[in-house]
Each structure stands twice: as C-alpha cells, then as structure tokens.
C-alpha cells in the first residue's frame, strides 16, 4: 500500500510539473517584456523599513554615490518631530512610503483598526512631506 501511495504521489507531482511547464510556455508565447528606460531589461526595487537613523547615515550616501534611488517605509508615530531628513530624501529622488502608524501585526487587528493604521500613517506622512504623496506601503512583519 505504501508503494502504491508513493507512485500516486509521484504521478501527481509529474503531472503538476508538466502542467506548469506547458502553462508557462503558453503564457510566455503570448506576452513580451516591457522595455524599461534606456532599454534596460528590468528593474530592481530597493526598500528600507522602519525609518532607522542608519538608513540616513549609511544607506542614503551609498545609494547617492551609485546614482540609485530607494523607497523608505516609515513608522509614522516613531519618526519624532523632525521630518526634514526624510523630506530631503524625497528631494533627492527617493520615495517615502507608509509602514503603518505603530508597526502592529496587522493580522491581529480588526478591519477597522487596519484601516486606521493605514489611513493615519498616510495622512501623517503626507502632512510632513508635502513634496510627494505616500502611495505605497510595506506591511510589518510580512504579516
């Protein structure tokens, strides 16, 4: 019986692999990759969470030297009074996005609490950094 179960499992795995191979080929045949600026073949998105001071002192200078830009996701109620360094990032071509108001595990909150975390964070960021709109967010803990 154990051998029959292993054979069935192997057969199911083989059929699944074949299906995904064929589906992938059919998808690829009907689609093309978009052309990026300067005819690049792709893009990488660099992101930093939590608004840590080391991002300003270490990451930003390293990015600037290389002509690279990133998105910095800030926890709105942990940024203190002086948002100037983060506003300066935007002036340099970086993006500032939301990482919620208080960095909770979103899966433990009610829908209303989640909405509050997202809306208030966006409102705080947009009020402090007026040269851009916070339109992106990174959810805490991958949750």
């Amino acid at each position: 019986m154990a051998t029959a179960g292993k054979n069935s499992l192997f057969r199911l795995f083989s059929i699944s692999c074949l299906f995904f191979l064929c589906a992938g080929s059919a998808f690829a045949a009907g689609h093309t990759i978009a052309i990026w600026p300067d005819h690049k073949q792709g893009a990488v998105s660099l992101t930093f969470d939590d608004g840590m001071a080391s991002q300003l002192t270490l990451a930003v200078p390293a990015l600037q030297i290389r002509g690279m830009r990133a998105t910095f996701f800030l926890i709105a109620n942990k940024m203190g009074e002086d948002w100037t360094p983060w506003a300066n990032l935007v002036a340099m071509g970086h993006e500032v996005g939301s990482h919620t108001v208080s960095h909770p595990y979103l899966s433990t909150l009610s829908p209303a609490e989640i909405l509050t975390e997202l809306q208030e964070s966006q409102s705080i960021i947009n009020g402090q950094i007026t040269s851009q709109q916070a339109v992106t967010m990174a959810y805490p803990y991958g949750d």
Side-chain angles (χ1 to χ4, degrees), residues 39-119:
H39 303 285
K40 303 290 186 207
Q41 292 188 9
V44 173
S45 181
L46 300 173
T47 64
F48 297 85
D49 290 356
D50 302 336
M52 299 164 49
S54 62
Q55 295 167 359
L56 295 168
T57 60
L58 300 173
V60 172
L63 292 166
Q64 291 300 114
I65 288 169
R66 291 163 179 82
M68 301 171 77
R69 303 294 174 262
T71 300
F72 294 84
F73 293 107
L74 307 183
I75 304 167
N77 73 355
K78 297 193 181 197
M79 302 315 304
E81 296 296 318
D82 187 10
W83 285 69
T84 304
W86 303 103
N88 290 342
L89 285 179
V90 172
M92 291 188 268
H94 300 282
E95 176 188 21
V96 170
S98 168
H99 200 41
T100 68
V101 173
S102 64
H103 205 268
Y105 284 91
L106 293 174
S107 63
T108 67
L109 303 181
S110 70
E113 291 170 319
I114 292 170
L115 192 57
T116 297
E117 282 285 332
L118 301 179
Q119 288 178 335

Side-chain angles (χ1 to χ4, degrees), residues 4 8 12 33 38 69 84 91 121 124:
S8 295
L12 178 62
I33 303 298
D38 300 323
R69 303 294 174 262
T84 304
S121 175
I124 291 168

Side-chain angles (χ1 to χ4, degrees), residues 3 8 15 17 22-23 25 30 32 43 58 61 96 114 120 122 124 126:
T3 304
S8 295
I15 291 169
C17 288
C22 293
S25 297
T32 59
L58 300 173
V96 170
I114 292 170
E120 284 186 20
Q122 184 181 39
I124 291 168
N126 288 341

